[in-house]
Amino acid sequence: MPDCLFCKIANKQIPSEVVYEDDRVLAFKDSSPQAPVHILLIPKEHIASTTELGEKFSHVAKDLFAAVPKVASKFSLLPKGFRVVINQGPHAGQAVDHLHLHILGGRQMHWPPG
Ligand code: AMP
Ligand code: ZN
């Protein structure tokens, strides 16, 4: 297994505030929230980034996006909306090399994101 922070969170070796879980994905609170609601949604299996999401891992994209409205609904984000972000690589500021979706909500978002 890679020495990976989010694998350790998925395995419960490192604690996190879990808000949603099924057998393939885990959602937990970001430790440095950038909005009133800031959740990270990860596949339990280690996939470094979107560039690994080819045919082989198409099921992972499906699992993640199936969980997005469940998480958003849990935090009552559906009526007003929310933002889903993936930081891919250094230019986007990806800090953890385990695929994760940021789900941000609870305030007005701006565009472009900067
Ligand atoms: P990114 O920059 O897209 O790779 O995002 C990584 C995110 O992980 C950041 O928003 C961090 O605040 C968050 N993060 C780092 N360590 C932890 C942790 N132990 N528990 C929860 N969130 C974390
Ligand atoms: Zn990992």
Side-chain angles (χ1 to χ4, degrees), residues 4 7-8 13 15 17 23 26-31 35 39 43 55-56 67 70 84-85 92 94-95 98 103:
C4 166
C7 280
K8 287 177 182 159
Q13 287 172 261
E17 280 190 69
D23 51 346
L26 182 79
F28 55 97
K29 291 188 181 177
D30 194 296
S31 57
I39 306 301
E55 192 61 31
K56 188 172 165 216
K70 295 179 187 171
V84 180
V85 173
Q94 182 177 8
H98 180 127
I103 299 172

mmCIF file of all heavy atoms in Angstrom, residues 4 7-8 13 15 17 23 26-31 35 39 43 55-56 67 70 84-85 92 94-95 98 103:
data_model
loop_
_atom_site.group_PDB
_atom_site.id
_atom_site.type_symbol
_atom_site.label_atom_id
_atom_site.label_comp_id
_atom_site.label_asym_id
_atom_site.label_seq_id
_atom_site.Cartn_x
_atom_site.Cartn_y
_atom_site.Cartn_z
ATOM 1 N N CYS A 4 0.273 6.887 2.000
ATOM 2 C CA CYS A 4 -0.634 7.925 1.513
ATOM 3 C C CYS A 4 -1.595 8.347 2.625
ATOM 4 O O CYS A 4 -2.247 7.517 3.247
ATOM 5 C CB CYS A 4 -1.406 7.357 0.319
ATOM 6 S SG CYS A 4 -2.821 8.338 -0.165
ATOM 7 N N CYS A 7 -5.221 7.268 2.050
ATOM 8 C CA CYS A 7 -5.395 5.819 2.257
ATOM 9 C C CYS A 7 -5.505 5.541 3.753
ATOM 10 O O CYS A 7 -6.329 4.724 4.185
ATOM 11 C CB CYS A 7 -4.234 5.033 1.668
ATOM 12 S SG CYS A 7 -4.329 4.777 -0.116
ATOM 13 N N LYS A 8 -4.678 6.232 4.528
ATOM 14 C CA LYS A 8 -4.706 6.023 5.982
ATOM 15 C C LYS A 8 -6.024 6.520 6.577
ATOM 16 O O LYS A 8 -6.562 5.914 7.509
ATOM 17 C CB LYS A 8 -3.513 6.721 6.641
ATOM 18 C CG LYS A 8 -2.217 5.991 6.356
ATOM 19 C CD LYS A 8 -1.017 6.707 6.938
ATOM 20 C CE LYS A 8 0.261 5.951 6.568
ATOM 21 N NZ LYS A 8 1.450 6.798 6.659
ATOM 22 N N GLN A 13 -6.739 4.493 9.940
ATOM 23 C CA GLN A 13 -5.482 4.559 10.698
ATOM 24 C C GLN A 13 -5.254 5.971 11.211
ATOM 25 O O GLN A 13 -4.581 6.175 12.207
ATOM 26 C CB GLN A 13 -4.290 4.196 9.794
ATOM 27 C CG GLN A 13 -4.158 2.740 9.440
ATOM 28 C CD GLN A 13 -3.067 2.593 8.387
ATOM 29 O OE1 GLN A 13 -3.340 2.486 7.197
ATOM 30 N NE2 GLN A 13 -1.825 2.603 8.820
ATOM 31 N N PRO A 15 -7.511 9.424 12.156
ATOM 32 C CA PRO A 15 -8.909 9.796 12.373
ATOM 33 C C PRO A 15 -9.362 10.942 11.470
ATOM 34 O O PRO A 15 -8.558 11.788 11.063
ATOM 35 C CB PRO A 15 -8.937 10.223 13.846
ATOM 36 C CG PRO A 15 -7.536 10.566 14.186
ATOM 37 C CD PRO A 15 -6.637 9.790 13.280
ATOM 38 N N GLU A 17 -13.302 13.254 10.498
ATOM 39 C CA GLU A 17 -14.734 13.416 10.797
ATOM 40 C C GLU A 17 -15.525 12.916 9.599
ATOM 41 O O GLU A 17 -15.784 13.654 8.650
ATOM 42 C CB GLU A 17 -15.057 14.879 11.074
ATOM 43 C CG GLU A 17 -14.693 15.330 12.464
ATOM 44 C CD GLU A 17 -15.263 16.722 12.756
ATOM 45 O OE1 GLU A 17 -16.483 16.880 12.872
ATOM 46 O OE2 GLU A 17 -14.444 17.647 12.842
ATOM 47 N N ASP A 23 -19.160 1.143 0.814
ATOM 48 C CA ASP A 23 -18.017 0.218 0.710
ATOM 49 C C ASP A 23 -16.931 0.709 -0.235
ATOM 50 O O ASP A 23 -15.812 0.218 -0.194
ATOM 51 C CB ASP A 23 -18.475 -1.214 0.362
ATOM 52 C CG ASP A 23 -19.397 -1.262 -0.827
ATOM 53 O OD1 ASP A 23 -19.907 -0.193 -1.228
ATOM 54 O OD2 ASP A 23 -19.590 -2.357 -1.364
ATOM 55 N N LEU A 26 -15.456 7.345 0.746
ATOM 56 C CA LEU A 26 -15.518 7.927 2.091
ATOM 57 C C LEU A 26 -15.555 9.451 1.948
ATOM 58 O O LEU A 26 -14.813 10.019 1.140
ATOM 59 C CB LEU A 26 -14.271 7.520 2.887
ATOM 60 C CG LEU A 26 -14.197 8.014 4.334
ATOM 61 C CD1 LEU A 26 -15.080 7.138 5.228
ATOM 62 C CD2 LEU A 26 -12.768 7.990 4.856
ATOM 63 N N ALA A 27 -16.400 10.096 2.740
ATOM 64 C CA ALA A 27 -16.447 11.560 2.760
ATOM 65 C C ALA A 27 -16.187 12.020 4.182
ATOM 66 O O ALA A 27 -16.737 11.471 5.138
ATOM 67 C CB ALA A 27 -17.802 12.058 2.275
ATOM 68 N N PHE A 28 -15.319 13.026 4.300
ATOM 69 C CA PHE A 28 -14.945 13.520 5.627
ATOM 70 C C PHE A 28 -14.700 15.019 5.559
ATOM 71 O O PHE A 28 -14.457 15.585 4.484
ATOM 72 C CB PHE A 28 -13.702 12.779 6.159
ATOM 73 C CG PHE A 28 -12.504 12.827 5.245
ATOM 74 C CD1 PHE A 28 -11.494 13.764 5.435
ATOM 75 C CD2 PHE A 28 -12.384 11.940 4.178
ATOM 76 C CE1 PHE A 28 -10.388 13.815 4.592
ATOM 77 C CE2 PHE A 28 -11.281 11.986 3.319
ATOM 78 C CZ PHE A 28 -10.290 12.926 3.529
ATOM 79 N N LYS A 29 -14.747 15.668 6.721
ATOM 80 C CA LYS A 29 -14.582 17.114 6.760
ATOM 81 C C LYS A 29 -13.137 17.507 6.482
ATOM 82 O O LYS A 29 -12.204 16.897 7.037
ATOM 83 C CB LYS A 29 -15.007 17.660 8.131
ATOM 84 C CG LYS A 29 -16.505 17.549 8.350
ATOM 85 C CD LYS A 29 -16.934 18.265 9.607
ATOM 86 C CE LYS A 29 -18.444 18.105 9.780
ATOM 87 N NZ LYS A 29 -18.955 18.713 11.010
ATOM 88 N N ASP A 30 -12.968 18.524 5.628
ATOM 89 C CA ASP A 30 -11.626 19.058 5.385
ATOM 90 C C ASP A 30 -11.135 19.730 6.674
ATOM 91 O O ASP A 30 -11.867 20.464 7.331
ATOM 92 C CB ASP A 30 -11.668 20.077 4.235
ATOM 93 C CG ASP A 30 -10.276 20.398 3.709
ATOM 94 O OD1 ASP A 30 -9.459 20.971 4.471
ATOM 95 O OD2 ASP A 30 -9.996 20.083 2.535
ATOM 96 N N SER A 31 -9.893 19.465 7.031
ATOM 97 C CA SER A 31 -9.352 19.992 8.291
ATOM 98 C C SER A 31 -9.049 21.488 8.211
ATOM 99 O O SER A 31 -8.788 22.119 9.226
ATOM 100 C CB SER A 31 -8.086 19.222 8.682
ATOM 101 O OG SER A 31 -7.137 19.311 7.651
ATOM 102 N N ALA A 35 -14.984 27.005 3.335
ATOM 103 C CA ALA A 35 -16.391 27.409 3.230
ATOM 104 C C ALA A 35 -17.095 26.803 4.447
ATOM 105 O O ALA A 35 -16.543 25.897 5.100
ATOM 106 C CB ALA A 35 -16.997 26.872 1.937
ATOM 107 N N ILE A 39 -16.198 19.448 2.420
ATOM 108 C CA ILE A 39 -16.074 18.003 2.573
ATOM 109 C C ILE A 39 -15.133 17.469 1.497
ATOM 110 O O ILE A 39 -15.144 17.952 0.359
ATOM 111 C CB ILE A 39 -17.466 17.326 2.401
ATOM 112 C CG1 ILE A 39 -18.513 17.951 3.343
ATOM 113 C CG2 ILE A 39 -17.377 15.816 2.575
ATOM 114 C CD1 ILE A 39 -18.192 17.863 4.814
ATOM 115 N N PRO A 43 -12.202 7.957 -3.179
ATOM 116 C CA PRO A 43 -12.386 6.521 -3.345
ATOM 117 C C PRO A 43 -11.560 5.807 -2.277
ATOM 118 O O PRO A 43 -10.485 6.289 -1.897
ATOM 119 C CB PRO A 43 -11.822 6.245 -4.748
ATOM 120 C CG PRO A 43 -10.835 7.330 -4.994
ATOM 121 C CD PRO A 43 -11.276 8.526 -4.187
ATOM 122 N N GLU A 55 -10.382 3.942 -18.599
ATOM 123 C CA GLU A 55 -11.389 2.881 -18.665
ATOM 124 C C GLU A 55 -11.342 1.995 -17.419
ATOM 125 O O GLU A 55 -12.364 1.617 -16.856
ATOM 126 C CB GLU A 55 -11.107 2.057 -19.936
ATOM 127 C CG GLU A 55 -12.196 1.103 -20.334
ATOM 128 C CD GLU A 55 -13.516 1.820 -20.649
ATOM 129 O OE1 GLU A 55 -13.482 2.970 -21.121
ATOM 130 O OE2 GLU A 55 -14.545 1.204 -20.387
ATOM 131 N N LYS A 56 -10.106 1.726 -16.969
ATOM 132 C CA LYS A 56 -9.902 0.812 -15.844
ATOM 133 C C LYS A 56 -10.605 1.290 -14.572
ATOM 134 O O LYS A 56 -11.068 0.497 -13.761
ATOM 135 C CB LYS A 56 -8.391 0.699 -15.610
ATOM 136 C CG LYS A 56 -7.992 -0.354 -14.613
ATOM 137 C CD LYS A 56 -6.473 -0.530 -14.582
ATOM 138 C CE LYS A 56 -6.078 -1.317 -13.340
ATOM 139 N NZ LYS A 56 -4.823 -0.851 -12.780
ATOM 140 N N ALA A 67 -22.090 9.645 -5.002
ATOM 141 C CA ALA A 67 -22.090 10.044 -3.587
ATOM 142 C C ALA A 67 -22.236 11.555 -3.409
ATOM 143 O O ALA A 67 -22.669 12.006 -2.350
ATOM 144 C CB ALA A 67 -20.791 9.567 -2.919
ATOM 145 N N LYS A 70 -25.592 12.822 -2.251
ATOM 146 C CA LYS A 70 -25.880 12.296 -0.904
ATOM 147 C C LYS A 70 -25.211 13.178 0.148
ATOM 148 O O LYS A 70 -25.804 13.530 1.166
ATOM 149 C CB LYS A 70 -25.396 10.843 -0.772
ATOM 150 C CG LYS A 70 -26.145 9.895 -1.686
ATOM 151 C CD LYS A 70 -25.623 8.486 -1.540
ATOM 152 C CE LYS A 70 -26.269 7.580 -2.579
ATOM 153 N NZ LYS A 70 -25.673 6.261 -2.644
ATOM 154 N N VAL A 84 -18.117 21.656 -6.674
ATOM 155 C CA VAL A 84 -17.305 20.432 -6.638
ATOM 156 C C VAL A 84 -16.007 20.745 -7.364
ATOM 157 O O VAL A 84 -16.033 21.199 -8.505
ATOM 158 C CB VAL A 84 -18.029 19.252 -7.327
ATOM 159 C CG1 VAL A 84 -17.171 18.001 -7.281
ATOM 160 C CG2 VAL A 84 -19.382 18.998 -6.674
ATOM 161 N N VAL A 85 -14.890 20.522 -6.677
ATOM 162 C CA VAL A 85 -13.580 20.898 -7.225
ATOM 163 C C VAL A 85 -12.629 19.709 -7.170
ATOM 164 O O VAL A 85 -12.590 18.989 -6.165
ATOM 165 C CB VAL A 85 -12.966 22.055 -6.388
ATOM 166 C CG1 VAL A 85 -11.535 22.351 -6.823
ATOM 167 C CG2 VAL A 85 -13.820 23.310 -6.475
ATOM 168 N N ALA A 92 -2.726 23.430 -10.175
ATOM 169 C CA ALA A 92 -4.017 23.542 -9.473
ATOM 170 C C ALA A 92 -3.841 23.454 -7.962
ATOM 171 O O ALA A 92 -4.805 23.606 -7.216
ATOM 172 C CB ALA A 92 -4.968 22.462 -9.961
ATOM 173 N N GLN A 94 -2.700 20.722 -6.216
ATOM 174 C CA GLN A 94 -2.981 19.407 -5.611
ATOM 175 C C GLN A 94 -1.897 19.074 -4.588
ATOM 176 O O GLN A 94 -0.713 19.020 -4.924
ATOM 177 C CB GLN A 94 -3.041 18.308 -6.683
ATOM 178 C CG GLN A 94 -3.376 16.937 -6.082
ATOM 179 C CD GLN A 94 -3.522 15.829 -7.131
ATOM 180 O OE1 GLN A 94 -3.230 16.021 -8.318
ATOM 181 N NE2 GLN A 94 -3.958 14.663 -6.682
ATOM 182 N N ALA A 95 -2.312 18.891 -3.334
ATOM 183 C CA ALA A 95 -1.349 18.648 -2.255
ATOM 184 C C ALA A 95 -1.308 17.184 -1.846
ATOM 185 O O ALA A 95 -0.292 16.719 -1.329
ATOM 186 C CB ALA A 95 -1.701 19.512 -1.047
ATOM 187 N N HIS A 98 -3.922 11.501 -3.767
ATOM 188 C CA HIS A 98 -4.967 10.474 -3.730
ATOM 189 C C HIS A 98 -6.219 11.218 -4.179
ATOM 190 O O HIS A 98 -6.609 12.212 -3.544
ATOM 191 C CB HIS A 98 -5.110 9.907 -2.308
ATOM 192 C CG HIS A 98 -6.164 8.847 -2.137
ATOM 193 N ND1 HIS A 98 -5.895 7.605 -1.561
ATOM 194 C CD2 HIS A 98 -7.484 8.847 -2.418
ATOM 195 C CE1 HIS A 98 -7.007 6.899 -1.510
ATOM 196 N NE2 HIS A 98 -8.000 7.628 -2.019
ATOM 197 N N ILE A 103 -16.109 19.229 -1.892
ATOM 198 C CA ILE A 103 -17.502 19.673 -1.970
ATOM 199 C C ILE A 103 -17.617 20.883 -1.047
ATOM 200 O O ILE A 103 -17.419 20.763 0.169
ATOM 201 C CB ILE A 103 -18.471 18.560 -1.545
ATOM 202 C CG1 ILE A 103 -18.317 17.363 -2.487
ATOM 203 C CG2 ILE A 103 -19.916 19.072 -1.533
ATOM 204 C CD1 ILE A 103 -19.093 16.131 -2.049
#
